[in-house]
Amino acid sequence: MYQRILVATDGSDLSRTAVSSAIELASAVGAELVALYVVPRYPVSYFEGGITISIEDIARTEKQWSDKGQAIVDEVQKEAEARGVKAKAVVAQSDLVAESIMAAATKHNCDLVVMASHGRKGIKRVLLGSETQHVLTHSTVPVLVLR
């Protein structure tokens, strides 16, 4: 049925549910798992010249974020392998989370993407956006959304 499943995680409790379901599904169908964490780039000040932050501080912050993401996907990989599922831990750096998820699915030849959804509605969805919705509507790979 599925050969390789990508699960996107941000380390939240909600995404842990998606991770558990993805591992269970991969185990049931004999698929491999790709665990993805997308690290945002350090935000650029909206007020040019307002606050100067050294390149070293930006690099240190981005490394901390990347290390956190790596730890999260490494844990997913360990959990999957403990259940007999071959897994790969991947960290991507981008401000375009949905595009990164879709690009990773293509790059790693995944035939299913598993994601969690916060289920935001109305003005919250408009203001906060929905990476899951974007992936769901633009992905060429099937997407399983868990609430």
Side-chain angles (χ1 to χ4, degrees):
M1 178 175 220
Y2 298 113
Q3 302 299 312
R4 190 167 295 129
I5 299 169
L6 182 136
V7 61
T9 183
D10 62 5
S12 67
D13 289 341
L14 188 59
S15 72
R16 292 291 312 150
T17 301
V19 165
S20 294
S21 294
I23 291 171
E24 187 176 327
L25 179 60
S27 177
V29 300
E32 295 177 12
L33 189 73
V34 176
L36 174 69
Y37 184 98
V38 180
V39 179
R41 297 193 185 280
Y42 194 87
V44 177
S45 173
Y46 293 105
F47 303 103
E48 285 279 330
I51 299 175
T52 13
I53 300 172
S54 72
I55 293 173
E56 292 82 16
D57 286 342
I58 291 171
R60 184 175 32 258
T61 300
E62 285 183 337
K63 182 174 181 341
Q64 287 173 343
W65 292 346
S66 183
D67 290 348
K68 175 188 172 196
Q70 189 66 55
I72 289 169
V73 291
D74 285 347
E75 186 61 35
V76 172
Q77 182 178 16
K78 283 183 201 170
E79 185 180 337
E81 290 176 349
R83 301 245 347 243
V85 174
K86 184 177 176 184
K88 181 175 187 171
V90 177
V91 174
Q93 188 174 32
S94 175
D95 290 328
L96 306 172
V97 176
E99 284 79 2
S100 295
I101 292 168
M102 291 182 290
T106 300
K107 178 181 179 181
H108 296 283
N109 298 315
C110 296
D111 45 14
L112 179 67
V113 174
V114 176
M115 299 179 70
S117 173
H118 290 279
R120 293 185 185 107
K121 293 185 175 148
I123 194 70
K124 283 186 180 178
R125 186 188 177 292
V126 171
L127 294 175
L128 299 174
S130 172
E131 301 300 336
T132 303
Q133 181 68 29
H134 189 88
V135 173
L136 188 61
T137 57
H138 293 89
S139 178
T140 58
V141 175
V143 181
L144 173 61
V145 179
L146 301 163
R147 292 186 72 168

